[in-house]
Amino acid sequence: MNPIAELKQVTKAYGNFKAVNEVSFVLEPDKIYGLLGRNGAGKTTIMHMLTAQLFATSGELTVFGEAPYENNRVLSQICFIKESQKYPDNYSLLDVLELSASLFPNWDRTYANTLVQDFQLPLKRKIKKMSRGMHSSVGIIVGLASRAPLTIFDEPYLGLDAVARNLFYGHLLEDYAEHPRTVVLSSHLIDEVSQLLEHVIVIDKGTILINEDAELLRGRAFTVAGSAAEVESFLIGKTVISRDPFGALLSATVDGTLRAEDRKQAMAKGLEFGSVSLQQLIIHLTNGKTERKAADL
Amino acid sequence: MNRTLSVIKLHQRDRFSWIFIPLIILGSSFIVNWLTSMMISEDSMYTGGIASLLVYIFGLGIIVVAQTFPFAISFSISRINYFTGTIVMALLVSFGSALLLLLMSIIENQLTNHWWSGLYFFHLPYLNDGNLLVQLLTLFLFTVHLFLWGFVFGSFYRKFKKSGMLILFLASGLGLTLGSYIITQNQWWLDIWKWITQHTAFGLSLWLIPFILLNALLSFLMLRRSTI
C-alpha cells in the first residue's frame, strides 16, 4: 500500500540549532499514530513540515506521494488541529464550521452538529471569548468532522477536563472504526492515549528514539521486584533501565522481553513481575537520568 | 478556484472587519461633521471626513494578514489561494465603498443641497471632478491602493517579523530624510508641487496603478515564503 506520508532524512535547522535532525519515518494508511516526546522535542515542527506550514532545511518529505507545499491535492486531504490555533477575532464556532464545510471535501455537517451538542458549545459566541477548554473543543470538532484522510491533532486538549477528553477519545475511536483514516495524535498525556495508539513514534531532541508498533512496544520492557540480592542476581546480563531501591527491597525496570523460563525461575525465588506502562517506558528512554537525579535529591 | 472562493468566504464571514466597522467609522464621522455644520453659522463647511474610511482600509490591509493568514494556512489553504482570495475580497470591498461614496456624493450634491447645512463631506472639489465613471474609478483606485499598501506591510511583518519591521522603519526613515534633503538641496519641492497640481485627481489615481501592482507582487512574494 502507498504510504500516506514519508519523511527521508528530514532536517529543520534554526541557525546551529537542529529542531529536527535527519528524521525518517513512514505513515501508513488507516492507522492511529502517537507522536510522543517532551516539550520542545520537535513534534510540532515535524507536523508543521508535513502540512507545509514550515519548510524543511534538508531532506525529502512527501504526503500522499507528493510534496505538500502549495499543493491543493495534498492540502485538501489534511486537517491539522493545533493546541493554540488562532481564529480571526470576530469568528464564532458557526463561522469556523461553515468555512470548514467548504474546505474539507469529506466534511460531515450532521456529525459536526452532533459533536457541537456533545461538547456543549455555543455556536454564536465569539471563539475569542470562549474558555480555554471550549477553545480546544472547537479544534477537536473540526478535526473529527473533517474526516480528512490525514488528520493531525497536536496536543488538542489544552484546558479540557477529563470528561471532555474521554468524550474526544470515545468519538475518535468510534468514528475511526466507521471511517478509517490516518490519525496522528501528539500528546504528553501518554497513559491516557496509549490505549488508542496502534503505532508509536517517540522523538527526543529532534531525533527519533522509538518507531514501533504499540503492542510490541508494550512488551519491550518489564519490571521486577523483590529482595535486593535476588533481584541483583536476576539482573546479571540484562539491560537495566532503572533501579529503585527501597530499604532491603529493589525494583528494577529491564529492557527486553521476559522469557518464560526466566520468569519461572525467578518466581520460585519470590520475585514479582509487572508490566511497564508506555508512559514509564518513554520517560525511562527519553529522560531516565534526569529523572533519577530528581529522585535522589 | 474552488479554494480561492473559500478564502473569499473566510473573509466574508468576518462582516465586522470588512463591512460594519468601516460603515460605523464613516457614519460616525459624518454625523459629527453634520451636527457641527448645523451649529456653525458659516454658509459652507468642507471636511476631509472620508479620510477616516480610507485610513481604516489601510489599517485593515495591515491587520488582515495577522488575523487570517496563520488561520488560513492552518486550515489547509495554500498561500496562492489565500493571496488571490484576499485580493479579490479587497477589490470587491473597495469597489463597494467607492460606489457608496459616489452615491453619497450624488445625494449630497444634487438631492439634499449639502445636507441642508452646507456640509461638503462626500462631494469635494477636485476629488469629485469629472464624470461619474471617472469619479468612481478615482475612489476605487485610491481605496485599492491604500488596502494594498497596508497589505504589503502586513505581509512584510509576517515574513520578517519584528526585527525585519524595525530595519524597514529605520531604512525608510533614513531614505525619507535623505530624499527630502536632496530635494531641498536641488530646490525641487516647487516642481513636485506643480506636477501634482497640474494633474486631476483621476490623473493622480492612474499613477497609483504601478504602485498597486508592485505592492501586490511584493506581498505575494513575501507570503509565498511565509511560515507559521
Side-chain angles (χ1 to χ4, degrees):
Chain A
M1 242 190 298
N2 288 331
I4 293 289
E6 197 169 4
L7 280 80
K8 284 181 196 157
Q9 306 283 305
V10 170
T11 297
K12 175 72 189 177
Y14 295 98
N16 285 327
F17 173 67
K18 285 181 176 164
V20 172
N21 194 2
E22 303 205 339
V23 160
S24 307
F25 64 83
V26 170
L27 299 180
E28 284 162 14
D30 305 342
K31 261 193 181 181
I32 300 184
Y33 283 85
L35 190 57
L36 311 175
R38 302 187 52 197
N39 294 328
K43 307 185 294 282
T44 304
T45 309
I46 290 179
M47 289 182 278
H48 274 131
M49 287 190 289
L50 274 176
T51 51
Q53 300 184 38
L54 277 181
F55 309 128
T57 311
S58 65
E60 196 186 318
L61 186 152
T62 53
V63 184
F64 300 105
E66 300 180 50
Y69 176 61
E70 294 296 87
N71 188 338
N72 278 333
R73 279 187 305 281
V74 173
L75 293 176
S76 64
Q77 298 192 67
I78 305 179
C79 180
F80 180 23
I81 300 304
K82 63 180 96 173
E83 166 194 349
S84 52
Q85 176 62 57
K86 285 201 184 88
Y87 300 94
D89 283 351
N90 295 318
Y91 257 47
S92 66
L93 174 56
L94 186 66
D95 294 322
V96 175
L97 297 182
E98 286 296 322
L99 180 69
S100 304
S102 84
L103 284 174
F104 301 109
N106 298 342
W107 182 261
D108 186 330
R109 247 172 226 278
T110 326
Y111 185 46
N113 290 336
T114 314
L115 290 168
V116 170
Q117 278 172 5
D118 284 1
F119 282 94
Q120 300 178 356
L121 291 184
L123 270 176
K124 299 243 166 114
R125 190 187 303 175
K126 283 184 186 173
I127 295 179
K128 210 179 141 192
K129 294 189 172 150
M130 286 185 179
S131 72
R132 193 55 253 190
M134 289 167 124
H135 190 281
S136 298
S137 308
V138 172
I140 286 174
I141 292 174
V142 173
L144 289 172
S146 71
R147 298 224 170 104
L150 175 57
T151 306
I152 303 174
F153 290 103
D154 183 11
E155 308 275 6
Y157 30 55
L158 200 73
L160 271 194
D161 56 48
V163 178
R165 288 206 301 273
N166 276 322
L167 203 58
F168 167 54
Y169 303 141
H171 271 294
L172 179 64
L173 279 183
E174 202 177 296
D175 201 58
Y176 171 75
E178 283 173 40
H179 305 272
R181 54 214 197 239
T182 303
V183 177
V184 177
L185 192 57
S186 146
S187 174
H188 44 238
L189 300 174
I190 300 171
D191 271 343
E192 268 193 29
V193 299
S194 66
Q195 294 309 311
L196 303 173
L197 306 178
E198 292 170 74
H199 195 104
V200 174
I201 296 173
V202 178
I203 180 153
D204 188 47
K205 298 192 186 87
T207 54
I208 287 196
L209 212 59
I210 300 171
N211 180 4
E212 208 164 293
D213 186 89
E215 275 311 311
L216 288 175
L217 191 58
R218 284 190 196 100
R220 218 176 109 164
F222 61 92
T223 60
V224 53
S227 72
E230 292 293 351
V231 173
E232 284 297 354
S233 75
F234 175 83
L235 291 178
I236 292 167
K238 294 189 174 61
T239 318
V240 181
I241 297 174
S242 77
R243 287 167 207 266
D244 297 299
F246 184 77
L249 301 175
L250 178 64
S251 157
T253 308
V254 180
D255 192 355
T257 39
L258 181 60
R259 281 175 303 174
E261 49 193 295
D262 275 0
R263 172 184 283 261
K264 218 180 247 174
Q265 264 181 11
M267 296 275 266
K269 291 178 189 164
L271 294 183
E272 284 179 19
F273 293 96
S275 61
V276 179
S277 76
L278 212 52
Q279 171 140 317
Q280 282 172 308
L281 183 62
I282 288 164
I283 287 174
H284 284 314
L285 291 173
T286 56
N287 197 23
K289 279 175 195 151
T290 21
E291 197 76 2
R292 286 304 300 265
K293 269 182 204 150
D296 288 345
L297 285 174
Chain B
M1 190 58 210
N2 207 357
R3 291 174 85 77
T4 301
L5 286 178
S6 297
V7 176
I8 297 172
K9 187 171 183 170
L10 183 160
H11 292 307
Q12 273 174 346
R13 293 209 71 89
D14 188 359
R15 276 177 297 251
F16 259 95
S17 299
W18 289 92
I19 296 167
F20 297 147
I21 296 177
L23 281 181
I24 290 168
I25 287 176
L26 186 68
S28 50
S29 168
F30 173 71
I31 287 169
V32 169
N33 277 291
W34 189 48
L35 291 177
T36 315
S37 74
M38 303 244 273
M39 284 185 280
I40 59 168
S41 51
E42 268 107 87
D43 290 343
S44 54
M45 175 177 149
Y46 294 87
T47 152
I50 58 168
S52 59
L53 177 73
L54 298 176
V55 169
Y56 176 78
I57 299 271
F58 171 70
L60 181 65
I62 298 177
I63 59 164
V64 78
V65 185
Q67 282 276 310
T68 58
F69 180 78
F71 170 66
I73 296 302
S74 301
F75 269 58
S76 298
I77 291 170
S78 72
R79 290 160 178 84
I80 175 94
N81 286 147
Y82 174 79
F83 174 79
T84 321
T86 308
I87 295 296
V88 171
M89 183 68 187
L91 292 178
L92 289 174
V93 167
S94 299
F95 187 76
S97 57
L99 207 61
L100 176 76
L101 290 175
L102 183 67
L103 202 71
M104 294 303 279
S105 93
I106 295 170
I107 295 175
E108 175 173 303
N109 193 39
Q110 292 171 17
L111 299 179
T112 62
N113 191 21
H114 296 271
W115 314 104
W116 308 283
S117 67
L119 175 65
Y120 287 75
F121 189 89
F122 293 103
H123 190 88
L124 299 168
Y126 185 65
L127 187 65
N128 291 82
D129 289 345
N131 65 39
L132 288 182
L133 191 66
V134 162
Q135 292 181 39
L136 183 70
L137 257 172
T138 308
L139 290 165
F140 175 69
L141 286 172
F142 270 105
T143 321
V144 172
H145 169 63
L146 281 165
F147 179 87
L148 270 160
W149 195 18
F151 195 65
V152 85
F153 276 119
S155 309
F156 187 91
Y157 182 77
R158 190 71 240 162
K159 178 76 183 93
F160 300 106
K161 309 284 154 63
K162 272 187 199 126
S163 46
M165 216 61 194
L166 188 69
I167 292 168
L168 178 72
F169 275 123
L170 289 176
S172 35
L174 198 70
L176 285 176
T177 314
L178 213 68
S180 63
Y181 175 74
I182 292 170
I183 292 172
T184 310
Q185 281 298 304
N186 293 293
Q187 302 181 327
W188 286 339
W189 285 116
L190 217 60
D191 298 332
I192 293 174
W193 183 244
K194 260 190 214 152
W195 185 87
I196 292 176
T197 46
Q198 76 185 8
H199 284 81
T200 58
F202 181 59
L204 281 182
S205 73
L206 290 180
W207 275 100
L208 292 175
I209 293 177
F211 290 100
I212 290 173
L213 294 176
L214 179 70
N215 281 340
L217 179 71
L218 288 176
S219 327
F220 175 66
L221 291 176
M222 287 187 284
L223 287 180
R224 222 179 117 73
R225 295 307 294 172
S226 287
T227 54
I228 297 305

